[in-house]
Amino acid sequence: DFAKIDHHRKLRQGMSEVIFCEGKTKEQVLKIFERMIEKGEVNIIGTRASREQYEYLREHLKDDVVYYETGRIICAKRVEIIKNPKGHVAVVSAGTADLKVAEEAAIVLEILGNNVKRMYDVGVAGIHRLFAHLDDIQSANAVVAVAGMEGALASVVAGLVSKPVIAVPTSVGYGANFKGLSALLTMLNSCANGVCVVNIDNGFGAAIVAHMINSLANQNL
Amino acid sequence: DFAKIDHHRKLRQGMSEVIFCEGKTKEQVLKIFERMIEKGEVNIIGTRASREQYEYLREHLKDDVVYYETGRIICAKRVEIIKNPKGHVAVVSAGTADLKVAEEAAIVLEILGNNVKRMYDVGVAGIHRLFAHLDDIQSANAVVAVAGMEGALASVVAGLVSKPVIAVPTSVGYGANFKGLSALLTMLNSCANGVCVVNIDNGFGAAIVAHMINSLANQNL
Amino acid sequence: DFAKIDHHRKLRQGMSEVIFCEGKTKEQVLKIFERMIEKGEVNIIGTRASREQYEYLREHLKDDVVYYETGRIICAKRVEIIKNPKGHVAVVSAGTADLKVAEEAAIVLEILGNNVKRMYDVGVAGIHRLFAHLDDIQSANAVVAVAGMEGALASVVAGLVSKPVIAVPTSVGYGANFKGLSALLTMLNSCANGVCVVNIDNGFGAAIVAHMINSLANQNL
Amino acid sequence: DFAKIDHHRKLRQGMSEVIFCEGKTKEQVLKIFERMIEKGEVNIIGTRASREQYEYLREHLKDDVVYYETGRIICAKRVEIIKNPKGHVAVVSAGTADLKVAEEAAIVLEILGNNVKRMYDVGVAGIHRLFAHLDDIQSANAVVAVAGMEGALASVVAGLVSKPVIAVPTSVGYGANFKGLSALLTMLNSCANGVCVVNIDNGFGAAIVAHMINSLANQNL
Amino acid sequence: DFAKIDHHRKLRQGMSEVIFCEGKTKEQVLKIFERMIEKGEVNIIGTRASREQYEYLREHLKDDVVYYETGRIICAKRVEIIKNPKGHVAVVSAGTADLKVAEEAAIVLEILGNNVKRMYDVGVAGIHRLFAHLDDIQSANAVVAVAGMEGALASVVAGLVSKPVIAVPTSVGYGANFKGLSALLTMLNSCANGVCVVNIDNGFGAAIVAHMINSLANQNL
Amino acid sequence: DFAKIDHHRKLRQGMSEVIFCEGKTKEQVLKIFERMIEKGEVNIIGTRASREQYEYLREHLKDDVVYYETGRIICAKRVEIIKNPKGHVAVVSAGTADLKVAEEAAIVLEILGNNVKRMYDVGVAGIHRLFAHLDDIQSANAVVAVAGMEGALASVVAGLVSKPVIAVPTSVGYGANFKGLSALLTMLNSCANGVCVVNIDNGFGAAIVAHMINSLANQNL
Amino acid sequence: DFAKIDHHRKLRQGMSEVIFCEGKTKEQVLKIFERMIEKGEVNIIGTRASREQYEYLREHLKDDVVYYETGRIICAKRVEIIKNPKGHVAVVSAGTADLKVAEEAAIVLEILGNNVKRMYDVGVAGIHRLFAHLDDIQSANAVVAVAGMEGALASVVAGLVSKPVIAVPTSVGYGANFKGLSALLTMLNSCANGVCVVNIDNGFGAAIVAHMINSLANQNL
Amino acid sequence: DFAKIDHHRKLRQGMSEVIFCEGKTKEQVLKIFERMIEKGEVNIIGTRASREQYEYLREHLKDDVVYYETGRIICAKRVEIIKNPKGHVAVVSAGTADLKVAEEAAIVLEILGNNVKRMYDVGVAGIHRLFAHLDDIQSANAVVAVAGMEGALASVVAGLVSKPVIAVPTSVGYGANFKGLSALLTMLNSCANGVCVVNIDNGFGAAIVAHMINSLANQNL
Ligand SMILES: Nc1ncnc2c1ncn2[C@@H]1O[C@H](COP(=O)(O)O)[C@@H](O)[C@H]1O
Ligand SMILES: Nc1ncnc2c1ncn2[C@@H]1O[C@H](COP(=O)(O)O)[C@@H](O)[C@H]1O
Ligand SMILES: Nc1ncnc2c1ncn2[C@@H]1O[C@H](COP(=O)(O)O)[C@@H](O)[C@H]1O
Ligand SMILES: Nc1ncnc2c1ncn2[C@@H]1O[C@H](COP(=O)(O)O)[C@@H](O)[C@H]1O
Ligand SMILES: [Mg+2]
Ligand SMILES: [Mg+2]
Ligand SMILES: [Mg+2]
Ligand SMILES: [Mg+2]
Ligand SMILES: [Mg+2]
Ligand SMILES: [Mg+2]
Ligand SMILES: [Mg+2]
Ligand SMILES: [Mg+2]
């Protein structure tokens, strides 16, 4: 009995536990998915999942299992996703190498019913690329800003919008980057208003916060 | 011409620049307030303000100037604050010593029109104190969780609610606390969903994020 | 003569030297076990042991050798373990991934004669899981609290009991977790009374302290 | 209402909340003492207290208030302390400069009813000084080992006893000592069995753990 | 004989030694200025100088001594400064609080004969303020970019110009800023081309590098 | 569409985007090269490239592709490189192990048209080796100084020249070197004038700054 | 020409350059040995050498090549080693795992002509093991003290002798050991007189210092 | 009885305990001096002593008490110092600001009977200043090298001599110097042979090591 799944979480938090697959065997992951299905959970999500874990699940589960390669996400799709009628979350990222983390955020957001607009590779070294997307950024209910190296993107974006920016530092970089510490500190010290930060490479965590905000924005519709 | 006030900010961000008073002379603070008044800004806020700076402003400004001692905030109140019709932000804090930072958040939130429910000194060492407030926490649109030392409060709160928790680590503690680093890392590594983090002691920053979220929750009313 | 075994230790410390197997060849581990058997040591323990080292020992030693896979422990059982007549040590852990370290503690405790109650995957993100075990925690003579990520479990537990809590930070997590630093600092800064801390991932070290405490609690029976 | 005293703590933890006086005004400290007296708490302890806070309390409280200068502790003695019938806690410290922290531990232990044996200035640079006290150390139920600079004392002591050693790193030292980090890491990495660690300079925390252990050792008498 | 002035430096480095006044008594500073004057040095510069040190020098030196309050620079002006005929260095800074460091750079540059264009308080939180100065930035031979907090300014500026950007992190900020570490790491990890970095708060060091570059750009005129 | 190449960069920065190949598949690298060729870019550079990536490109591109093994650089040579008529950049390095980084700098400089003089293995442990090259160092328009371990080379060189020294700390070393942190801090704290620093192992970044400086020095010829 | 061997070193430093083999190919190592032989160097030492590098050398060099497995040292023995007539260096080490580093020191010392007394696995957890060797330690001209984990051995030894102790922290340990940082800080903060420290795992460096001291002690014989 | 003076130390270590005066009251310092005089100790040294402590001692002790202002050392001179007949220790320092630490080393060395040659302000930024003293450095039995900022001096000196260099990093500098960490790491990573390191600002510690070495060099005369 290696895992006490928190089935009660949906009551308290409005969504089921999401499975962190890294470091678990494919058999363990399967067992957790099966137990959650028994309990009646729908559209179960596994993050940091390998293709191997996915293939094992697809083989052994009756439900429709999908794998998102770049975002490393497995989803056992059991009911149709009901999209929010209005509004979107913007996911912006700085460099090519931040893609994995940005996609982790974007896919989780979509499975939870949010409309997502992606704007990738728009880092501050060529800031005109960001301005080309100004409308989609400024009209979002929340922005997830993903950046490694110096992580300046979050501040620049936050200076342009009036909605919360959830900043995700990534471990992209080398040397004095210290595995994401550099971007993390940058984002925590943002001189722009409205920035909050999640752990290094934690696209999933940012998606949950953005989803909660977007749900609040949609609640009185 | 030591400061280029960002008057344009209101258009982009929905609120005027807030003045960080620490490290500025009372004459500099006055000059910035005056220039903002000229430009027609209303209810101008100064944070990290000393009583001395406040008294100097009260003397020299015609407008109604208020000082919030614990939160170290000056407000030049020029129009009536219009409270949100519905919903509130919860501000919870762990220990007696975290009060200053919690009040910085609470006062900024109130000046910006949010209803605030304060729950102070409810740290995890005596977790029953937190549970006594469960309703007010779970019904909030956003929670600002302020804690120093080990900062565990944010995780416990986030496990109980379905709304975003904006965690503020404080520099309260000594030794291996390393001026707030301990609480900061705790909050960034939260195992609970829906936590995002601002800088150590940055009650102001948390207030802005919570205000933006609460505004979204009120927008369709 | 690569290792001077501290046979004298039992006199000074009441228990024989325990062998740290990581980084030693299976031949070296065997030789140390053999020498300890010669000297008359009983129930010799090896920690951080691989299955391969175990199999080599089982093959070459006459005694009954047992391997505890999850806790990575080898025990050459030479005499019957005499359990404490009364009282127990509680081993609580936060997440699925902390299992290894929790089991290292639990197994060492059992081999040394302690009654152990395990409560796993009861992290603070779903605090009701912890409360379900309140009785077993509050009646223990000592609690070993194992947690990675933000390590908040130790504080919450310590707030509920009147016995020492030996906190074990684990290296479980990523990013700003910095290989366990986050949980370590959390535990050192605990705002709850009665927490003491051992090295990151050091389930063995915690077991020894808990064993010493439990022995004291049993000494006058 | 700046502080929610945790009166319930005694039920859960067997002892009342102890007041951390540093950073509180003398008026605040008085108010907390008064409220605790109202609730019927006895022998109330304040740590990190200044002489000034003490004098203010002595003036305004009817009870017998005592101040321990070196340990910076105030105690409002309201009932006779009942000493443990048997056994003692050893408090050993390395250098002259560690005295403050050692005394914080020793005084708290004594107020809580423990017999304490002090062995100060017995650092490892002149290890014969430690051996002169071997009997008193080996017969203790628990040892509090206080050391700054390189903090080696804890390991040497732990190698000599079969009871738990609660190690307190102090911020004594300079340069690469990094305000106690050096001693903290030393103690966490102790190669000797039975060492657990509390925060830098946290004599109080060590006292609580040692008191809990000594209480267990006395419980069946 | 507490200081061996490096009079030979001018031959090797094209400019005399500059005096770091912080931590020296006014008498020591005077003695060094006097010895340099004896050796025939011209326009001697002292950095990190106090008003008190300045007043002492003005009193005791025959030469024309000037004090630049914000930049904390003393200059004993002994010959007319010969300005470069063409080209300028741009000094841009992010916030009001970075002024001191920016002025240290600007004044040193001017004393060494460079034309300087200052653009202050143009941080990335309101990026339109920076774009208003685009021409002056893009036409400079070198840019000194001064920023504290997250230090993102250097990357944004470097993305807009084809000349070297000398980035100066400042210690402005609090909390996770760690006295300038945050801005330092940001700048070292810049994703834009052409950024090099000097020590935290080292406006002087940046000025020397920018001066050397601007001199090269003027050498063939 | 995983990468938005910044074709516009040449206008703003005078040179095209350079491709960081590490962490990209050979197919991705090829696609980026192809798109840049389509846009008419010439002499496209890839850094941190593996031999495998190179061979894939050579096979699939029509242009002349060259690989510089030690510097790990691919260049798609499409037009003749036009060398600067006058002046050179000196690349000095401390130990045998810093070669890779020094060559990254030297090759990039040469592809961009600079004359380069290499002086390798001239570290300060045998300082006469450096002095043997004094002329070539002092006559350079800029010096790139590459050093690991304690990184003292940059200070010594900067003390000898009147041109900017771009210091590149390398991750060469072990133990308290902390992957280049030691050399990085050394270089940032240089007591010599005219040193600026790039990220650990960032030979490419140093080359760009040196190239910009050398171009300025050549502009009026 | 990847390496400029410092043949001149013998004149300046009394001994030839020693080759750091880690990270070099066997061909490179051979070439360096050959060049040193040409120049007439004797008894050439390579440290951090692999068995593979050794076998390659043995095959290709005419001289007598020896490999010391544990210390990872290659020596091309070309003349008879002349031992010091009197006095010895003591090499003490704390745990089994520190052996490699201790042997690196001991072998280098022996090749340079020093008499060496080894005392291994005498860590402070069982301090009687150290006292058993008191004579050999106190009569040495210098002591090399090798220890990982908390590194307390150096302080205890230095408290017992009147000769210099060269402390070598090792990277042995885990968790809060931070790859040797713990032992390094311990040793730098030693409260005992006469301790100096070399880099983590730098047995070679300690050997050189001890050799220099022992040579001085022998010089007037 | 706040201090157990280690009178036994002279037997074990050849010299009496030296009193660290910082943080002790003048009364405490007096009492320790008096007790040492009673025990017959001669030429008692106090380091990090204030002028105030000195004046108090001079007033109350019968012996000849001397104060060395720059080195902050008190010496109660009770017998004539017997200088070594031959050989000297060189104390070299990099900048004006390192003087205090260099003098701490030099004075302690002289009181212990060593001939000392001082070479101050000879930092690597103007390396010709160091070469002017080459003879005195190369003929020393040991060199104490004191440097702050980047601390490169130790490596350069060690490259020039065949005797041990005891490197003392100082806390001189700012920003990325991190209170001496920069120089400390530089010195630990020295690429030159024969460097060993003591704690930041620990001139006293370096003096003891150098004195021990010089004594060995003189022992057979
Ligand atoms: N990618 C992710 N990053 C951080 N936390 C995650 C991620 N995916 C899932 N989680 C959380 O990890 C927890 C599961 O941890 P475990 O009990 O170890 O399986 C759940 O509570 C999730 O909220
Ligand atoms: N308490 C606070 N903590 C962090 N930032 C603040 C605070 N108060 C105001 N600010 C921000 O500080 C900026 C002003 O900085 P400055 O230009 O230096 O006056 C504004 O953009 C505010 O958004
Ligand atoms: N010297 C001390 N060091 C650490 N914690 C302490 C100390 N003294 C009291 N405490 C704890 O501090 C808490 C009170 O904090 P506060 O609510 O800020 O007054 C109590 O729960 C005590 O257990
Ligand atoms: N300047 C100094 N730096 C480091 N240690 C010192 C210094 N001066 C004296 N000591 C040592 O400090 C110890 C005395 O410490 P304490 O018992 O606290 O007085 C003695 O053993 C001396 O060897
Ligand atoms: Mg790109
Ligand atoms: Mg409280
Ligand atoms: Mg779980
Ligand atoms: Mg002492
Ligand atoms: Mg501003
Ligand atoms: Mg070499
Ligand atoms: Mg052993
Ligand atoms: Mg100087």
Side-chain angles (χ1 to χ4, degrees), chain G:
Chain G
D1 191 27
F2 61 94
K4 288 204 180 43
I5 305 160
D6 187 2
H7 299 296
H8 187 253
R9 185 171 297 191
K10 212 172 178 165
L11 286 185
R12 289 187 341 267
Q13 295 223 304
M15 50 175 295
S16 333
E17 193 168 349
V18 167
I19 301 144
F20 186 79
C21 299
E22 206 170 283
K24 298 203 172 72
T25 63
K26 61 188 180 208
E27 291 82 7
Q28 287 179 320
V29 173
L30 176 64
K31 204 166 292 171
I32 298 179
F33 267 80
E34 284 173 344
R35 255 194 281 163
M36 291 184 78
I37 289 169
E38 272 168 46
K39 289 278 179 179
E41 312 268 16
V42 295
N43 297 351
I44 304 156
I45 305 176
T47 62
R48 304 281 173 108
S50 65
R51 173 159 280 282
E52 199 202 342
Q53 289 171 327
Y54 156 64
E55 272 158 14
Y56 192 75
L57 255 70
R58 202 187 39 187
E59 229 171 274
H60 290 80
L61 287 180
K62 279 189 297 240
D63 297 281
D64 185 23
V65 186
V66 191
Y67 187 56
Y68 301 88
E69 189 96 39
T70 314
R72 289 158 304 164
I73 284 170
I74 297 174
C75 182
K77 290 221 168 118
R78 311 191 61 236
V79 300
E80 199 59 38
I81 294 171
I82 305 164
K83 285 271 154 181
N84 273 331
K86 233 185 71 176
H88 68 275
V89 173
V91 179
V92 305
S93 81
T96 306
D98 302 314
L99 222 80
K100 275 185 184 185
V101 178
E103 274 301 289
E104 185 179 278
I107 299 291
V108 169
L109 277 163
E110 288 179 338
I111 297 177
L112 296 174
N114 302 277
N115 299 304
V116 173
K117 300 207 177 167
R118 292 163 168 84
M119 291 146 248
Y120 291 168
D121 206 13
V122 295
V124 300
I127 211 165
H128 60 289
R129 297 178 298 187
L130 180 67
F131 289 138
H133 298 277
L134 207 52
D135 273 6
D136 280 350
I137 295 176
Q138 289 186 326
S139 60
N141 281 325
V143 183
V144 173
V146 181
M149 302 187 74
E150 88 274 57
L153 183 63
S155 292
V156 174
V157 168
L160 300 169
V161 302
S162 63
K163 303 291 156 46
V165 173
I166 300 109
V168 193
T170 71
S171 53
V172 168
Y174 60 87
N177 174 53
F178 297 121
K179 309 204 170 157
L181 180 65
S182 166
L184 172 63
L185 294 184
T186 298
M187 287 165 169
L188 285 168
N189 285 287
S190 180
C191 59
N193 286 345
V195 178
C196 62
V197 187
V198 296
N199 195 8
I200 297 164
D201 290 334
N202 192 1
F204 165 73
I208 299 302
V209 175
H211 164 66
M212 287 173 167
I213 294 171
N214 199 28
S215 299
L216 281 165
N218 278 279
Q219 74 185 353
N220 308 310
L221 290 178

Side-chain angles (χ1 to χ4, degrees), chain B residues 94-98 121 125 129 149 172 174, chain C residues 190-193, chain D residues 2-4 6 9 13 15-22 24 32 45-48 104 199 201-205 208:
Chain B
T96 306
D98 302 315
D121 205 15
R129 296 178 297 186
M149 301 187 76
V172 169
Y174 60 86
Chain C
S190 180
C191 59
N193 287 345
Chain D
F2 61 93
K4 289 205 177 44
D6 186 3
R9 185 172 297 190
Q13 294 225 303
M15 51 175 293
S16 332
E17 189 165 354
V18 167
I19 300 143
F20 186 76
C21 299
E22 205 169 283
K24 299 203 172 72
I32 299 179
I45 305 175
T47 63
R48 303 279 173 111
E104 185 179 277
N199 195 7
D201 290 333
N202 193 0
F204 165 73
I208 298 302

Side-chain angles (χ1 to χ4, degrees), chain C residues 57-77:
Chain C
L57 255 70
R58 201 187 40 186
E59 229 171 276
H60 290 79
L61 288 179
K62 277 189 298 241
D63 297 281
D64 186 22
V65 187
V66 192
Y67 187 56
Y68 302 88
E69 189 96 41
T70 314
R72 289 158 304 164
I73 283 169
I74 297 173
C75 183
K77 290 225 167 113

Side-chain angles (χ1 to χ4, degrees), chain A residues 92-115:
Chain A
V92 303
S93 80
T96 306
D98 303 313
L99 221 82
K100 277 185 182 185
V101 179
E103 274 300 290
E104 185 178 277
I107 299 291
V108 169
L109 277 164
E110 287 180 339
I111 297 177
L112 296 175
N114 302 276
N115 299 306

Side-chain angles (χ1 to χ4, degrees), chain D residues 34-91:
Chain D
E34 284 174 343
R35 255 192 283 160
M36 291 183 78
I37 289 170
E38 273 168 45
K39 289 279 178 177
E41 311 270 14
V42 295
N43 297 350
I44 304 155
I45 305 175
T47 63
R48 303 279 173 111
S50 64
R51 174 158 279 280
E52 199 202 340
Q53 290 170 328
Y54 156 63
E55 271 158 16
Y56 193 76
L57 255 71
R58 203 187 39 186
E59 229 171 278
H60 290 79
L61 287 180
K62 277 189 298 240
D63 297 281
D64 186 22
V65 186
V66 191
Y67 186 56
Y68 302 88
E69 189 95 43
T70 314
R72 289 159 304 164
I73 284 170
I74 297 174
C75 183
K77 289 224 168 115
R78 312 191 60 236
V79 300
E80 199 59 38
I81 295 170
I82 305 163
K83 286 272 154 181
N84 273 330
K86 231 185 73 174
H88 68 275
V89 173
V91 179

